[in-house]
Amino acid sequence: MKIIEAPAGWPADEATARAVQDELRGKVVLDEAGPTPGNGVVTGVDVAYDDERDVVVAAAVVLDARSLDVVEKTTAVGRISFPYVPGLLAFREIPTVLAALESLNTDPGLVVCDGYGLAHPRRFGLASHLGVLTGLPVIGVAKNPFTFTYEPPGERRGSTAALVADDSHGRETVGRALRTQDGVKPVFVSVGHRVTLDAACAHTLHLSPRYRLPETTRHADALCRQALKDISRTLEDPSRKGPRIQ
């Protein structure tokens, strides 16, 4: 089992991490439409933590964008590379998420993060950070609105409402609350990199035909949770033959 370590020079404190966010934020591309929903492939990424053993597991699951069938899936395990600080979670996760993406044999296409892009206090969440580092089109689909406000969207599937920030960066729309199923709590969609907000919402709806969360997130969440259980058992008992982690 290979455990991914943080790369040399990886930020170790809040001030350095914020400086990196400020530097990379200017590289986010907002004027590309991105892939067409339902075409090619789309990849979900998610992570699960074992804080007691200081490890994080990342999963990447590639789906056929039209049928939503699984094409390929992979996991990676790494050391938790940064302390828990709201707004800086990407620094805990990205080295291991990158390792999972890099081990795929399939081009990831559009990447869907269980998290935020522009809907972030410094307008540079995990989806934006991952997009800038990889050059891939990335969107964020989160389960809650973080620190931002919104009016409840209509009760029908496809209804939206602006997700609004009013902070030191000014008052602006940073994403949308999107109802993916009739009468079910919305998800919160934001642009990461190389995708418009309209396209990000269209992808999210297409990827959520039956449940609140996109199929990309559902598959990646299940895979990283199961992999974490397997890895934790292996770390408890080194004689146990664990999964091969790339």
Side-chain angles (χ1 to χ4, degrees):
M1 178 174 63
K2 180 180 179 181
I3 297 181
I4 305 300
E5 303 289 346
W10 192 250
D13 59 77
E14 293 183 37
T16 305
R18 290 193 180 98
V20 169
Q21 287 181 329
D22 290 340
E23 177 187 357
L24 295 181
R25 185 174 58 239
K27 299 182 180 181
V28 172
V29 175
L30 301 175
D31 59 356
E32 289 187 21
T36 303
N39 289 336
V41 297
V42 58
T43 299
V45 295
D46 202 0
V47 300
Y49 291 96
D50 185 336
D51 288 295
E52 290 184 4
R53 296 173 180 81
D54 190 38
V55 295
V56 56
V57 174
V61 182
V62 184
L63 305 184
D64 179 278
R66 186 174 300 278
S67 67
L68 304 185
D69 293 333
V70 175
V71 174
E72 186 182 0
K73 55 186 177 180
T74 187
T75 58
V77 58
R79 296 293 179 196
I80 297 175
S81 52
F82 197 83
Y84 173 78
V85 180
L88 299 177
L89 298 187
F91 293 94
R92 291 166 63 85
E93 302 173 0
I94 277 185
T96 311
V97 171
L98 287 174
L101 286 171
E102 289 167 359
S103 68
L104 291 171
N105 295 313
T106 308
D107 186 301
L110 175 79
V111 177
V112 181
C113 293
D114 179 18
Y116 308 93
L118 292 183
H120 180 273
R122 280 175 293 283
R123 308 300 187 264
F124 195 73
L126 173 64
S128 297
H129 202 149
L130 190 62
V132 169
L133 292 183
T134 63
L136 295 168
V138 186
I139 66 174
V141 182
K143 301 180 184 72
N144 62 69
F146 201 11
T147 60
F148 306 115
T149 60
Y150 67 100
E151 296 294 329
E155 291 296 310
R156 298 300 300 272
R157 168 179 160 85
S159 299
T160 65
L163 188 62
V164 178
D166 190 357
D167 53 24
S168 61
H169 289 270
R171 183 175 177 84
E172 60 181 317
T173 296
V174 293
R176 286 184 194 148
L178 170 66
R179 193 88 65 184
T180 55
Q181 301 298 322
D182 291 353
V184 173
K185 181 180 177 181
V187 296
F188 301 91
V189 181
S190 57
V191 170
H193 185 60
R194 298 183 58 204
V195 185
T196 64
L197 185 54
D198 283 346
C201 289
H203 280 287
T204 303
L205 270 182
H206 176 75
L207 294 167
S208 309
R210 295 180 298 275
Y211 301 102
R212 177 188 177 224
L213 296 179
E215 290 299 294
T216 41
T217 299
R218 286 166 42 79
H219 281 287
D221 174 76
L223 178 59
C224 67
R225 288 178 184 274
Q226 184 57 55
L228 183 65
K229 289 180 181 178
D230 295 341
I231 290 159
S232 295
R233 286 196 293 265
T234 300
L235 293 174
E236 285 178 358
D237 180 6
S239 66
R240 183 193 298 267
K241 187 177 180 180
R244 183 173 184 270
I245 305 299
Q246 296 296 331

